[in-house]
Amino acid sequence: MSAAPSIRLEDLTMGYGDTPVVKDLNIEFPGGKLSMIVGGSGCGKSTVLKHILGLHPAMGGRILMGGHVLSELTDKQAHCMRQRTGVLFQDGALLGSLRLKDNVALPLREHTRLKESEIMRIVQDRLEMVGLGHALDLFPNELSGGMRKRAGLARALVMDPQVLFCDEPTSGLDPVLSAELDQLLLEMMC
């Protein structure tokens, strides 16, 4: 795996419709480092993340990842870039109709040509990594909030991403579970 790319936001204005939420943002997140965006509720943290991920177009400015301007990538290039990023959404974003092992396996099934036995080996490994190796056959509604977050993290890691985005990974968790998830994320950085 190559080194994690840096992410640079240049004069970035983001928002929804005609309403800007963040204006003229200039910042660089160095590759291979832990970076955080902090601020109060509604200040635009998730908005920045959604724009970096390409879920919403910027109103102005540029987003560069590894020196590539994201808005200038072809569909194929953008697809390749997305495959090298993992995302842990606030709620884990698990599909309720799929067992945990199938939720985690979904990216591998959609984006690789691996044999099912290899997919299950990787899924088991990632679930073990987050302490859920025993929960393969459970559905999301059978998991606690902390388990859903960890399951979402396992899915975010299943493609061995160069960059991992976490949108408020500990929101809604009690202090003990928050500390455990923070520690897990820090251990993965080493």
Side-chain angles (χ1 to χ4, degrees):
M1 178 167 75
S2 60
S6 63
I7 299 169
R8 193 166 69 237
L9 312 179
E10 296 178 344
D11 300 319
L12 195 64
T13 297
M14 300 158 283
Y16 304 98
D18 293 332
T19 307
V21 174
V22 178
K23 291 183 182 181
D24 303 321
L25 182 62
N26 288 285
I27 190 165
E28 183 164 356
F29 303 105
K33 303 285 185 185
L34 177 65
S35 298
M36 292 183 276
I37 301 171
V38 295
S41 180
C43 74
K45 300 180 302 290
S46 294
T47 296
V48 171
L49 181 61
K50 289 174 185 176
H51 282 75
I52 293 172
L53 291 170
L55 299 176
H56 296 285
M59 297 172 93
R62 303 185 325 161
I63 303 169
L64 295 92
M65 187 178 292
H68 302 283
V69 179
L70 296 186
S71 63
E72 296 175 2
L73 298 177
T74 65
D75 288 345
K76 184 176 182 179
Q77 291 169 324
H79 180 76
C80 288
M81 186 76 71
R82 280 191 297 274
Q83 284 186 317
R84 296 193 314 256
T85 61
V87 182
L88 173 57
F89 293 99
Q90 284 185 32
D91 62 359
L94 300 174
L95 300 173
S97 62
L98 296 180
R99 294 184 186 280
L100 184 53
K101 64 183 175 188
D102 296 315
N103 264 286
V104 176
L106 191 61
L108 293 169
R109 290 181 179 145
E110 292 292 319
H111 302 293
T112 72
R113 295 176 188 224
L114 295 173
K115 294 180 180 177
E116 188 63 19
S117 60
E118 181 64 8
I119 289 172
M120 281 297 111
R121 186 196 64 74
I122 295 168
V123 166
Q124 179 74 42
D125 179 68
R126 296 311 179 276
L127 287 171
E128 292 286 344
M129 183 185 297
V130 300
L132 292 174
H134 65 284
L136 284 133
D137 290 314
L138 297 179
F139 286 95
N141 68 344
E142 298 174 299
L143 304 174
S144 70
M147 292 171 80
R148 282 193 298 275
K149 291 272 190 171
R150 288 184 284 143
L153 179 58
R155 187 182 55 208
L157 296 172
V158 79
M159 296 279 290
D160 291 324
Q162 292 177 319
V163 178
L164 176 64
F165 294 100
C166 299
D167 189 7
E168 298 192 30
T170 59
S171 67
L173 299 181
D174 65 59
V176 173
L177 288 176
S178 290
E180 288 176 4
L181 189 56
D182 285 343
Q183 187 61 40
L184 178 61
L185 288 167
L186 288 172
E187 287 172 6
M188 290 176 5
M189 290 294 300
C190 299

